[in-house]
Structures are given as structure tokens and as C-alpha cells.
Amino acid sequence: MGAKLMYTSGQQSDSERVRITISTLPPRPPPSVLPHSGPVSSLSMCPPRNIRALTWSWTQTGTEATLSCPPGTSGTASWRCEGGASSPYWATDSPDLSDCQSNWMDKIMKELRKSQRILNLASELMQYVSVNALYGGDIKSAINAITIISEKMQYQLESIPTMEQREAMVMELAQSVTKTASALLSDKNLPAWQDLPASQQNRFLSNFIFSLERTGSLLPRALSPDKEVSISSDNLLMTVRKISFRNIHRAHFPSAASLATPTWRQYGDRVVVPALVLMENMDSEGSQVVFISLRNLEKIVAPSDRQAVNRGAK
């Protein structure tokens, strides 16, 4: 037990005497944070932390603390305390906020599932993630939203009568998705990725890259043969090329034209796609290549799982 010091004033009557007690014991956490009863030594408890707009109190080893998600979000946050009686520690560097989703993001997801206003919702999603602080649940929902948007656009394109209209729609969609993806990869939103457990980080990062590839694959359907389109933002560069059979030859990515923006001018990585590979993967309209380069992936992927995923070709 911790020591206690007691002070009383000797110059006052018994009725006026003030008793002050100073204790070195940690305060008792509320039941919602520390699910146990009985006396517990501070040596067997994880210490308080203020992180991600939440205050975590003393928590006994072998238990999981739970709190309501930060203001403006719904869901429950959790953090497990591990270790022995003399060596307690929080199991992860940050708590699990994968269930914390902003009320606005919840509204977007509900509208997206029932509405066909794909371009409007894609623009709203881009504007929201660009200016608001995100939590783990928002990262998951934004990636799911990009997937739903690309799937719905794929079906909508079948009913668009002209090539010009298809190109205009897909270009608008691709620009919104590119800016959304760039915002998700920005430094200010890296803590939101850390809100996810490692297994969810890797899974949703894979889903993220796949959803971007799927969005990029919509562009060739709206392009004439032997045409290239590049869309870039601070943390994402996407180049799509549609190559006809008569012009198939070894392709280099990214092209000089796609690196014209200041943020990508110094980019040094290169990918070469042999002509044989292009021929083996062509359809009736020729060969289609989607090149995507992403920044900050090394800050998201766990060290043991880091791979050369910052660029890809399809």
C-alpha cells in the first residue's frame, strides 16, 4: 500500500479542525474503464494516458479498458493492458478506435448504399476527408465508399450513350477518388490508420489499393485508343494508357507528361512493361495499363509487412 501523510491544525478548536490526507495511491478508475473490484496495487496497473481525444485511466493487467468514441463519432474504443504484476504495459502503442466513425461519414455511407448520385457523393466524400480529422472507423468507411462508388459507376457507364459523356463522368469520378485517396494518405491522417489493429491495417490497405486499381480501370472504357490520362494529387499519381494492337511496344511508366506537376517532378521510380506482356493481356480493344504510385505507405504498413507496394501496374 502507498504511504499516507496526515496534517491537522493545532490552533483551532475540535469543531474547526481541518483534516488533510495526502495519499500516493492511484485513483480508482470508473467501472467502465477498470472492470474489476477489490484493492489493486499501482504496480499491476497500466498508467493513465491521454491519446486520440480520450482519457484512459489506471487499468489492471489482463483486462481491456473501454470508452465511448470521441465527440462527434459513434462506437466504442478499447485498449488492453498486459504484463505481470510488476511489469504492466498497454498491449499496443495506441488504442483500438476501429469502431469509431464520424456521424457525417455514417450519413455518407447510408446515402451511398441507396442512392445513384455517385458523382455528388464522391465529391462530398472528397471534401469531408480533406478538411476533417479522421478516426479508424472513418478510414474503413472511406475505403468501402471508394469500392462502392467504383462498382456503381461501372454499371452506370453501360447506359451512357456517347464516348464524350463517359469520359467526362469517369474523369470527374477519378479526380474525386484521387483527392480522397491522397487525403487518406496525408500525414495528418496517419494517426487514424494507427487506430486500426495491425490485421485490419493490412487488410484495408490491400482493399484500398484494389479499389484504386478498380477506379483506374474504368478510365480505358472512356478513352479512345492510344490515349493516356494522368491524374495526380499530393500523395497519389495515377496514369492510365489504352494501347491499340498496331501500336503495342514496350511501355514505360510513368511518362514524362504525367510527371509535369511540381509534387511529382522529382519522382524517380520507373516501371517497364514488355510488349509481350501487353499482347498476352490485350482484349478486343487493345491493351490497358493502370499505373498507380502512392506516398506514405511505409508509414502505414507494419515493419514486418513492408513491401514494394508504393507502385503497381495492371
Side-chain angles (χ1 to χ4, degrees):
M1 300 292 291
K4 293 186 177 181
L5 304 179
M6 300 174 57
Y7 298 88
T8 59
S9 172
Q11 299 180 353
Q12 296 173 318
S13 64
D14 290 340
S15 62
E16 298 176 332
R17 183 167 296 169
V18 177
R19 181 184 179 94
I20 302 174
T21 302
I22 302 176
S23 174
T24 60
L25 287 177
R28 289 286 297 168
S32 62
V33 175
L34 181 57
H36 76 281
S37 60
V40 178
S41 169
S42 61
L43 295 179
S44 61
M45 301 172 71
C46 290
R49 292 281 304 276
N50 292 317
I51 185 171
R52 300 296 283 148
L54 295 174
T55 300
W56 301 85
S57 300
W58 294 92
T59 301
Q60 186 180 5
T61 56
T63 63
E64 185 173 81
T66 59
L67 292 174
S68 296
C69 288
T73 67
S74 60
T76 302
S78 62
W79 209 0
R80 187 166 184 81
C81 178
E82 297 285 4
S86 60
S87 58
Y89 60 92
W90 293 108
T92 54
D93 292 336
S94 58
D96 180 352
L97 274 68
S98 60
D99 189 43
C100 297
Q101 176 181 265
S102 67
N103 299 330
W104 190 93
M105 185 68 78
D106 180 61
K107 175 176 174 291
I108 281 285
M109 293 301 296
K110 288 179 179 177
E111 290 187 12
L112 190 57
R113 290 188 177 97
K114 64 182 181 181
S115 175
Q116 298 301 318
R117 301 183 307 109
I118 303 303
L119 295 180
N120 291 339
L121 291 173
S123 178
E124 290 179 24
L125 177 66
M126 177 268 292
Q127 293 175 31
Y128 179 80
V129 301
S130 298
V131 299
N132 289 281
L134 304 180
Y135 292 94
D138 293 321
I139 294 289
K140 294 163 56 176
S141 293
I143 293 171
N144 289 335
I146 294 174
T147 302
I148 295 173
I149 287 170
S150 63
E151 289 176 350
K152 288 196 171 187
M153 178 57 72
Q154 182 175 1
Y155 290 108
Q156 287 189 12
L157 285 178
E158 296 176 359
S159 61
I160 304 302
T162 68
M163 179 72 76
E164 290 76 13
Q165 289 176 318
R166 288 198 295 272
E167 182 175 353
M169 288 185 64
V170 175
M171 285 296 296
E172 183 177 347
L173 177 74
Q175 289 176 19
S176 294
V177 169
T178 296
K179 291 179 181 178
T180 298
S182 180
L184 294 179
L185 293 169
S186 65
D187 287 334
K188 74 171 186 176
N189 283 324
L190 292 179
W193 285 93
Q194 301 305 319
D195 290 341
L196 304 177
S199 59
Q200 290 193 33
Q201 277 184 23
N202 297 334
R203 176 159 55 89
F204 277 92
L205 185 58
S206 296
N207 293 345
F208 181 47
I209 295 173
F210 176 76
S211 67
L212 294 176
E213 291 177 350
R214 186 162 191 168
T215 301
S217 67
L218 295 175
L219 282 164
R221 299 178 59 184
L223 296 178
S224 55
D226 300 316
K227 187 173 182 179
E228 175 182 295
V229 171
S230 291
I231 304 173
S232 67
S233 194
D234 289 346
N235 300 304
L236 187 148
L237 172 65
M238 178 186 294
T239 299
V240 178
R241 191 180 302 173
K242 188 173 183 178
I243 308 171
S244 65
F245 177 76
R246 68 175 182 272
N247 284 321
I248 284 187
H249 52 77
R250 185 170 55 179
H252 297 258
F253 293 90
S255 63
S258 66
L259 300 178
T261 59
T263 53
W264 290 94
R265 193 166 294 158
Q266 303 303 318
Y267 184 74
D269 290 342
R270 295 289 183 272
V271 171
V272 178
V273 184
L276 180 59
V277 173
L278 295 174
M279 294 181 67
E280 290 175 345
N281 292 276
M282 66 183 303
D283 56 24
S284 59
E285 296 184 353
S287 187
Q288 304 165 5
V289 183
V290 179
F291 172 89
I292 299 174
S293 183
L294 308 173
R295 287 191 171 123
N296 280 345
L297 287 191
E298 74 283 357
K299 300 178 182 178
I300 298 173
V301 183
S304 59
D305 297 317
R306 286 178 185 165
Q307 299 175 352
V309 295
N310 63 319
R311 61 184 184 276
K314 180 181 178 182

